[in-house]
Amino acid sequence: MSEKYVYSLKEGDGDQRLLLGGKGANLCRMVQSGLPVPPGFILTTEVCREYMRNPGIMDTVWPDVKRYVAELEKETGKGFNDAKNPLLVSVRSGAPISMPGMMETILNLGLNDQTVQGLAASSGNKRFAFDSYRRFIQMFGNVVDEVDIGLFEGALANCRKAAGVEQDYQIPAEALEKLIVEYKVIYKKATGRDFPVDPWEQLRRAIEAVFKSWNIPRAVTYRKINKIDDSLGTAVNVISMIFGNLGDDCGTGVCFTRNPSTGENKLYGEFLINAQGEDVVAGIRTPMPISQLETAMPDIYKELCRLTKQLENAYREMQDIEFTIERGKLFLLQTRAGKRTAAAAVKVAMDMVSEGLIDTKTAVTRVSPEQVEQLLHRQVDKSAPQDEIAVGLPASPGAGAGMLVFSADEAEEWAHQGKAVILCRPETSPDDIHGLFAANGVVTSRGGMTSHAAVVARGMGKPAVCGCEEATIDLDAETLTTRGRTFRKGDTVTIDGSSGRVLAGEAKMIDAEFSDDFKKLLSWADEAAKQQVWANADTPEDARRAREFGAKGVGLCRTEHMFMGVDRLPVMQRLIVALKDSGEGQEERQDALAKLKVMQKEDFIGIFRAMDGLPVIVRLLDPPLHEFLPKEPNVLEELAALEKAGKGASAEAEALRTTLDRIHQLHESNPMLGFRGCRLGMIYPEIYEMQINAIFEAVAELTQAGVTVKPEVMIPLVGTRAEMRFFREMADRIAEEVMRTTGVKFTYLVGTMIEVPRAALVADQLAEYAQFFSCGTNDLTQTTFGYSRDDAEGKFLFQYIDKGVFKENPFSELDRDGVGGLVKLAVEKGRSVNPNLSVGICGEHGGNPASIAFCCSVGLNYVSCSPFRVPVARIAAAQAALGVLK
C-alpha cells in the first residue's frame, strides 16, 4: 500500500481511475481544466481495500483527512463546525468502474443544532437550513446506522399532512424544526443513542459507511451482473456542498451530451428549481426537461451547453453530467461516460466517426457485445390491435411483457420459477437492482428520464416506462389503477419503452431489424478482428439466417438433428433395430440406409447452396443410438395395450418386442462416455459411409450446377491416431469413388473435434491425418472436469459459484486454466505438424464474449456460434483483437 492515502482535486491525476475511482479522477481532470467544480479531496481505493482487512487503517489516514479539511476551509472561507459560517460536505462513493446509485452517499454533513443556525443566518433562508438538516439526519441515519428509511418517510408524510401541503419543498421552516426533533427521537429509538453532533465524528463514520457500502447486497449484485471485479474497492470523495435548494435562483439537474435513448446529438436531461440532486435521480419529484432551462435561466443554460460540449470533446465520449446552480452560479459535480441504449450506442459511435472525434476502431469498442444482443430484442407490432391503458415517459426502448409484480424480491422469485414479470413501482431505488435484472421491464408512476429506474433499465437493455402519473400504484394492495381499470398482481401487461405506452395483455411482437449504421459498424468490426465468426446451422434456414447475420462459414452442422423429423425418425429407428452384430437384417439395414442417404443429401444440398462460396463443416453422427429409439415405458405401454386387445401375437407386437430388445442392448450406464461418436462409425462403418456419400454426392451435384461448395467432414469424439487414420482413409476413398462416378472434381477437408482431453494431448498425432481441428468445448468441459452438465447444473454448480469456487459457469464461459489449457495445447501440438492447420471452436462458448477473447489469444481461426449470436460474436472478436475484451 502506498504512503499517500488522500489527494486533493488539484493533486490527483485524471488517468488514475483505479486509485482515485472514476468519479474522483474525472473531478481532478475537470478542476485542472479550469471547470467550475466545488473543492474537495479523495480517499483512495487502496484505503478501502485495506479497510476491509483492517478497519484500524482509519487511525493512520485520519490526520491526512483533517489536513485536507483544513485546506477546504481555506478555499471556501468557511469553517468545519463553525457555528456562524459552517462548511458542509458531501461524502460520496466512486468506484473505478461506474456503478451508478449502487453505493452510498451522504449530503449536508456537518450540520448540528448550532451550525444549522449559522447556515440559516449565512444563507438568509431558515427554511433551506432546516430542510438541509432534516435531509442529513435521514440520510445519515439510514446509511450509517441502518435506520429504516420508512420511519423517516412516514414522519415526513405526517408533517406534510399537518402542514396542509403536498410537496416536501412546501413545508414551512417551523414545521421542519419540529420534524427534526421527531427525526432525532426516531434515530435514538432505533440505535439506542443520540444523533451525533460532532461533525468530525459524522465525517469519520460517513467515510467508513461508504467504504462498507462496497459490499452491500445491491452493489454485490450489480458487480455480479456486470462482471466487475470484487477486489477493486471504492474511493470516497469528500466535496464541499453546493446548494441547489436555496431559492428560485438555484437548482439541480442531470444531463447527457446526447440522447441516451436515441443517440441524437442534442443536450438531453432534466432539472428542478430549488432542489437537491437526490430529488432528481430518486424520482421523488418529476423534473422538467433540460430544454426549459433555457427559458428559466438563459445564461446558465448557455454556459451549461458550452461546458458539456467541452467535456465531450475532451473525453471524446458521450458524457453524463450532474450539475447544481447556487445563487445563479453553475457548478459541475460529476461527469462520466453516459449509460445508453444499444441503439443509441451505435448512433453515437457512428456520428462521432463522422464528426472526426473518434476513428472506426474506437467506434467498434463503443458498442458492447451485450448491447449488440439487446439490438436483437423484439418490438411491439404497431399494426396489431392494442389495448392501451396508460402512457408515461419512454425511458428505455424495447418491449417486454409479463405478469405484474410489485416488489423486487417477488420479481426475482417469480423469474426463478420461469415466469415472465414486469416490475411495477411508484419509483425504484438502488435496492431494487435484483428485481430490475430479473424482470422483463419496469413501469413507475413517478420519476423522469434520468431517474434511477430509467438509467438502470437503459444500462441493462430492459424496456422502461417512467413517470406514468395517470396510473396509481398501490404497493399494499398490489394493484395498478388507470383509466377506471384495476390490474392486480399476476395480470399480464406489455410495456413499450420506445413509445412510453403500457398495454393490457401480451401484445404481438415483431423481430428487430438492423439499421444501416449497425451493419456498417459490424463491417468495421470484421476489419479489426483477427478471427472469423462462423455459425452452427443444421438446416438451410439456419444457414441463410447465419449468412444474413454475417457468418463467414458454418462451423458445425449436426447431422443427427436431420434424423429427428417425423418422417425420418421411423426410418432411423428401423436402421438401429436392423444393426445386429450377428449380421441379421442386412436387407432391412441397406433399405433404411438408402432412404436416409436421400434425405441427408437433400439437406446438404440446401445448406451448401445457402452457403455458396463459404465453408461448411458437417459433423457425422455423434449421439448414442438409443437417443433415436422410443422410451422404454412408452413401448411397454403400447405392447400392453396390444396384448389387452388380444393382439399380442401380431406383427406389430413382435416389432415392439424387437425394439424393446434393442433398447435393452443399447442401454448404457454413462452414455456420454459410451457408444457414440466415431465409435459408432468404427463398429457400424456403413452409417458414416452413407453420410459421407451423401455429402460428396451433394457437392458433386451442386458443383455441376455452378455452386461453389467448400465441404469439411468432421469426425466426432476422436481420441487416437488410429481412429483418425481410419476415417480419413474412408473419406478419401468415398470422395475418389464419387468423383469417378460423377466425373466432377471437387476439394474437401477431413478433420476432427477436440472434445476429449486425450485428443488435445495427442493433437500432433491426430494432425498427421486431420486437416482441421474444431474444439467442441461443451463435451471437452464435461470430460475435463468429470462433470455431467445436466447433473452439475442441477445439483451443485450454482452453489459453487456462490461459494466462489467458480466466478462463472464453466459451461457458459470457458475455463481458461483447464479446458482453455487443453485448447491451447491442441493448437500448439497440431500446428507443430501442420503450421497451416485451421482450428476453431464450435461449442456454446463460441458465442460468449469472454471465451471469444481467449480464443483470439491462442490463435484460433474462427469461432462458431448460433446464428442469432453471430453479430454479438463479430463485435466481441473485434474487441478482443483491439485489446478491449480480454
Side-chain angles (χ1 to χ4, degrees):
M1 184 172 174
S2 66
E3 295 182 1
K4 187 167 179 61
Y5 308 124
V6 186
Y7 290 76
S8 77
L9 300 186
K10 294 178 180 178
E11 295 175 321
D13 187 329
D15 293 328
Q16 292 181 298
R17 297 179 68 87
L18 286 176
L19 181 68
L20 304 178
K23 185 179 298 177
N26 287 340
L27 287 172
C28 291
R29 186 170 178 179
M30 290 162 69
V31 165
Q32 292 160 31
S33 298
L35 298 178
V37 175
F41 58 87
I42 307 162
L43 284 80
T44 68
T45 57
E46 284 189 341
V47 181
C48 177
R49 291 192 292 272
E50 184 60 28
Y51 180 82
M52 297 304 174
R53 294 187 289 269
N54 172 29
I57 185 64
M58 287 300 296
D59 293 332
T60 304
V61 173
W62 198 240
D64 287 342
V65 172
K66 286 195 165 186
R67 180 164 60 86
Y68 278 94
V69 169
E71 288 191 16
L72 275 186
E73 291 177 317
K74 290 179 185 177
E75 283 192 74
T76 61
K78 300 176 181 179
F80 202 53
N81 203 20
D82 187 328
K84 293 184 179 179
N85 189 21
L87 168 67
L88 305 183
V89 297
S90 64
V91 181
R92 307 176 75 182
S93 62
I97 298 173
S98 179
M99 296 172 56
M102 292 302 112
M103 290 175 288
E104 301 293 11
T105 293
I106 298 169
L107 305 177
N108 307 324
L109 189 144
L111 283 172
N112 54 33
D113 290 349
Q114 286 71 47
T115 57
V116 72
Q117 299 293 344
L119 182 64
S122 62
S123 66
N125 189 330
K126 186 176 180 181
R127 192 212 164 274
F128 149 74
F130 283 95
D131 183 49
S132 298
Y133 194 12
R134 74 92 189 161
R135 287 172 184 260
F136 171 57
I137 295 173
Q138 177 171 327
M139 197 172 281
F140 186 95
N142 177 245
V143 170
V144 178
D145 289 300
E146 300 181 356
V147 179
D148 182 359
I149 197 168
L151 298 174
F152 294 119
E153 288 292 339
L156 180 61
N158 291 336
C159 182
R160 284 195 305 267
K161 186 176 181 180
V165 299
E166 292 186 0
Q167 301 294 336
D168 297 348
Y169 64 84
Q170 296 171 322
I171 300 174
E174 295 74 20
L176 287 170
E177 285 188 79
K178 294 178 182 178
L179 180 63
I180 286 166
V181 173
E182 189 174 352
Y183 268 21
K184 289 180 181 177
V185 171
I186 290 170
Y187 179 89
K188 187 167 185 176
K189 282 184 177 178
T191 65
R193 56 181 179 271
D194 291 328
F195 188 81
V197 296
D198 178 9
W200 290 107
E201 179 188 349
Q202 294 172 359
L203 180 59
R204 179 158 178 162
R205 293 185 64 201
I207 289 171
E208 293 190 38
V210 173
F211 281 146
K212 291 174 184 174
S213 74
W214 176 252
N215 284 325
I216 60 177
R218 67 179 186 241
V220 173
T221 298
Y222 186 90
R223 290 198 298 274
K224 186 175 181 180
I225 292 169
N226 292 280
K227 299 185 178 180
I228 297 172
D229 190 345
D230 284 328
S231 69
L232 292 176
T234 181
V236 172
N237 302 277
V238 180
I239 310 295
S240 59
M241 283 295 302
I242 301 296
F243 297 101
N245 56 337
L246 277 166
D248 290 341
D249 61 347
C250 304
T252 187
V254 176
C255 65
F256 295 80
T257 53
R258 304 186 188 222
N259 187 311
S261 289
T262 66
E264 180 186 6
N265 188 2
K266 182 180 179 182
L267 193 64
Y268 174 97
E270 295 167 325
F271 76 103
L272 284 168
I273 297 292
N274 193 18
Q276 284 200 324
E278 61 178 306
D279 298 333
V280 177
V281 297
I284 296 169
R285 291 165 58 187
T286 300
M288 296 176 284
I290 199 73
S291 58
Q292 292 183 20
L293 185 62
E294 185 173 15
T295 302
M297 300 179 179
D299 291 340
I300 292 290
Y301 180 77
K302 185 177 180 181
E303 184 182 9
L304 181 65
C305 289
R306 179 180 64 81
L307 293 176
T308 54
K309 183 54 67 177
Q310 181 180 337
L311 282 169
E312 182 176 272
N313 289 340
Y315 284 98
R316 298 177 183 272
E317 171 65 299
M318 172 185 140
Q319 295 297 294
D320 169 3
I321 300 160
E322 293 180 21
F323 65 91
T324 290
I325 304 155
E326 181 181 285
R327 301 291 198 205
K329 184 176 180 182
L330 175 66
F331 291 89
L332 304 181
L333 307 184
Q334 172 174 291
T335 192
R336 60 189 173 196
K339 300 288 184 184
R340 68 208 76 173
T341 65
V346 172
K347 180 165 175 55
V348 170
M350 300 300 290
D351 285 353
M352 285 189 169
V353 171
S354 299
E355 295 158 18
L357 280 175
I358 60 176
D359 59 20
T360 58
K361 288 182 178 179
T362 304
V364 168
T365 68
R366 293 287 174 83
V367 181
S368 70
E370 292 76 19
Q371 287 175 318
V372 175
E373 198 166 351
Q374 292 163 22
L375 287 170
L376 303 175
H377 287 181
R378 308 179 80 195
Q379 306 288 328
V380 169
D381 184 354
K382 292 181 173 56
S383 65
Q386 293 162 15
D387 183 5
E388 181 184 289
I389 58 174
V391 176
L393 299 172
S396 183
M403 293 182 283
L404 285 173
V405 292
F406 294 84
S407 77
D409 290 343
E410 198 151 40
E412 184 177 53
E413 181 184 340
W414 282 26
H416 284 165
Q417 294 171 12
K419 299 176 182 177
V421 298
I422 297 293
L423 180 60
C424 185
R425 305 277 296 170
E427 71 266 333
T428 64
S429 74
D431 288 327
D432 294 323
I433 182 71
H434 57 298
L436 284 163
F437 181 67
N440 283 359
V442 60
V443 57
T444 69
S445 56
R446 297 198 289 266
M449 301 289 282
T450 57
S451 65
H452 173 266
V455 171
V456 173
R458 283 196 294 268
M460 289 184 174
K462 306 270 187 178
V465 175
C466 295
C468 196
E469 295 181 345
E470 66 175 307
T472 300
I473 298 171
D474 187 330
L475 296 182
D476 293 329
E478 296 185 307
T479 59
L480 180 153
T481 302
T482 176
R483 300 184 186 181
R485 301 164 66 180
T486 297
F487 296 83
R488 293 176 170 78
K489 182 173 74 174
D491 289 345
T492 297
V493 300
T494 299
I495 61 170
D496 185 351
S498 303
S499 66
R501 297 178 306 146
V502 183
L503 310 172
E506 185 170 351
K508 184 180 178 182
M509 307 276 189
I510 56 173
D511 292 332
E513 294 183 356
F514 290 170
S515 66
D516 290 338
D517 275 350
F518 183 52
K519 292 176 182 176
K520 184 69 173 175
L521 187 76
L522 286 174
S523 72
W524 292 343
D526 293 342
E527 292 171 6
K530 292 179 181 177
Q531 55 192 355
Q532 291 186 339
V533 176
W534 295 13
N536 303 338
D538 303 331
T539 67
E541 182 182 351
D542 285 346
R544 282 190 290 271
R545 184 180 294 114
R547 190 160 193 158
E548 289 171 3
F549 285 156
K552 301 300 182 185
V554 169
L556 177 62
C557 174
R558 291 162 286 212
T559 53
E560 59 269 15
H561 289 182
M562 300 172 179
F563 298 134
M564 301 304 291
V566 292
D567 59 331
R568 301 177 179 202
L569 189 56
V571 182
M572 186 63 178
Q573 291 172 348
R574 280 175 50 206
L575 171 65
I576 295 169
V577 171
L579 290 171
K580 301 266 184 84
D581 292 342
S582 62
E584 299 173 10
Q586 282 289 342
E587 185 177 339
E588 183 77 8
R589 184 188 312 186
Q590 293 304 319
D591 181 63
L593 284 168
K595 289 180 178 178
L596 288 172
K597 177 183 166 184
V598 172
M599 297 172 182
Q600 288 259 275
K601 180 179 173 182
E602 290 174 357
D603 291 326
F604 296 140
I605 285 174
I607 292 172
F608 291 152
R609 191 186 298 277
M611 300 303 291
D612 185 2
L614 297 177
V616 176
I617 296 179
V618 180
R619 183 181 72 186
L620 303 186
L621 189 66
D622 182 45
L625 294 177
H626 74 82
E627 290 193 8
F628 298 98
L629 293 176
K631 302 298 182 186
E632 182 176 357
N634 296 340
V635 177
L636 289 171
E637 186 178 337
E638 288 184 48
L639 191 55
L642 287 174
E643 289 173 345
K644 187 175 181 181
K647 299 179 180 179
S650 67
E652 185 180 0
E654 189 59 36
L656 286 173
R657 292 188 185 94
T658 303
T659 299
L660 196 60
D661 288 344
R662 198 67 176 127
I663 290 172
H664 293 153
Q665 292 167 8
L666 293 173
H667 172 75
E668 295 179 285
S669 299
N670 192 340
M672 188 192 79
L673 299 178
F675 189 32
R676 53 171 288 218
C678 70
R679 301 154 198 169
L680 289 171
M682 289 289 288
I683 305 305
Y684 300 125
E686 57 265 49
I687 296 178
Y688 275 19
E689 288 172 342
M690 175 273 291
Q691 290 192 293
I692 296 171
N693 262 294
I695 293 169
F696 289 152
E697 287 180 15
V699 171
E701 184 174 319
L702 287 174
T703 301
Q704 281 185 316
V707 178
T708 302
V709 188
K710 297 183 177 181
E712 302 185 22
V713 179
M714 183 157 68
I715 316 300
L717 225 66
V718 167
T720 69
R721 177 199 277 120
E723 288 170 330
M724 192 65 238
R725 182 178 67 240
F726 179 85
F727 292 109
R728 173 66 187 276
E729 291 172 352
M730 176 190 287
D732 287 346
R733 170 175 52 78
I734 294 171
E736 185 178 338
E737 291 172 358
V738 172
M739 283 189 270
R740 184 176 64 252
T741 57
T742 62
V744 178
K745 297 291 184 182
F746 53 83
T747 59
Y748 62 94
L749 298 177
V750 181
T752 185
M753 295 187 82
I754 302 295
E755 50 189 336
V756 294
R758 192 178 195 280
L761 295 170
V762 299
D764 51 342
Q765 298 176 23
L766 302 185
E768 294 173 19
Y769 300 96
Q771 295 167 295
F772 67 88
F773 289 165
S774 180
C775 299
T777 50
N778 292 344
D779 274 0
L780 188 58
T781 298
Q782 294 193 93
T783 54
T784 300
F785 278 103
Y787 293 167
S788 161
R789 178 174 184 172
D790 290 343
D791 292 332
E793 290 184 334
K795 299 289 195 303
F796 65 86
L797 198 53
F798 294 107
Q799 288 90 328
Y800 263 40
I801 294 169
D802 289 340
K803 292 178 182 296
V805 177
F806 295 129
K807 285 187 175 181
E808 299 292 338
N809 181 346
F811 291 104
S812 299
E813 182 174 313
L814 190 70
D815 160 47
R816 296 189 177 202
D817 294 336
V819 180
L822 289 172
V823 170
K824 184 180 179 183
L825 181 66
V827 173
E828 293 170 351
K829 280 181 163 283
R831 288 182 180 159
S832 70
V833 174
N834 178 3
N836 297 317
L837 184 75
S838 174
V839 185
I841 183 174
C842 65
E844 189 175 321
H845 300 107
N848 174 263
S851 305
I852 291 169
F854 173 80
C855 293
C856 180
S857 72
V858 297
L860 265 59
N861 300 87
Y862 67 88
V863 295
S864 188
C865 56
S866 71
F868 285 107
R869 291 200 66 82
V870 166
V872 178
R874 289 168 70 186
I875 286 288
Q879 293 184 358
L882 294 169
V884 175
L885 191 63
K886 297 178 180 177

